[in-house]
Amino acid sequence: MPQASPRGTYLQISESLRQKIESGDVDEALPSEAALMQSHGVSRNTVRRALKVLEAAGVVESAPGIGWRVAQGGHRRTLAERMTELIAEDSLAVGDTYPSEARLCERFGASRTAVRRVLAQMEGNGLLATVHGKGRTVCALPTPTVRP
């Protein structure tokens, strides 16, 4: 990256990688973090932030011993969509307890960081509330979305 970006360099890198994945230029394994650092002229932290953005969106996943790869599976729903849809899938009602972070990580195969980001987003949207000592509870039911 030749100059600093007001949008955030990591967001530019994540968008660049997303476009390469969508166009088919990257179909399975992503370049190593070191290769991404060199090609974009940034630090490892910046590369990792970009990859975490894509992980939270359900585009890539970390594969132990392999590195980062394009997320497997037929669906391209984001982690946020899948966690929101869990309310209806599990027939949760307002006031019911939402699953714990550990269960969500296991269920969706996502990192705790990605799960926490989505939980914060869901709380911000008024779907969940945190009750100290009791975990998260459902505050509102999501509006159904129509998928093409």
Side-chain angles (χ1 to χ4, degrees):
M1 293 278 137
Q3 58 187 356
S5 161
R7 182 166 182 245
T9 305
Y10 75 98
L11 292 173
Q12 288 184 340
I13 294 169
S14 69
E15 189 57 33
S16 170
L17 287 170
R18 181 189 308 270
Q19 289 173 359
K20 288 178 183 177
I21 291 167
E22 289 174 357
S23 70
D25 291 342
V26 176
D27 60 352
E28 200 164 304
L30 271 65
S32 69
E33 289 181 6
L36 290 170
M37 288 168 48
Q38 186 173 17
S39 66
H40 292 282
V42 296
S43 70
R44 186 173 302 272
N45 250 4
T46 303
V47 167
R48 286 187 175 161
R49 277 184 84 181
L51 292 168
K52 291 295 183 182
V53 167
L54 293 173
E55 180 184 38
V59 176
V60 300
E61 59 191 9
S62 176
I66 297 172
W68 291 90
R69 65 179 182 196
V70 176
Q72 302 300 310
H75 62 75
R76 286 282 186 211
R77 295 180 304 155
T78 66
L79 180 60
E81 290 171 328
R82 293 184 291 160
M83 286 175 58
T84 301
E85 290 168 358
L86 177 140
I87 294 171
E89 289 170 5
D90 289 2
S91 302
L92 297 177
V94 173
D96 287 350
T97 302
Y98 194 76
S100 68
E101 288 178 6
R103 288 208 175 148
L104 292 167
C105 291
E106 184 179 315
R107 182 171 181 165
F108 296 113
S111 71
R112 189 165 289 242
T113 302
V115 166
R116 284 182 177 165
R117 282 187 189 133
V118 174
L119 288 170
Q121 180 183 355
M122 291 174 74
E123 287 178 5
N125 291 338
L127 293 174
L128 300 177
T130 301
V131 178
H132 186 69
K134 295 193 178 196
R136 290 176 179 85
T137 58
V138 177
C139 288
L141 300 178
T143 55
T145 55
V146 178
R147 294 199 103 345

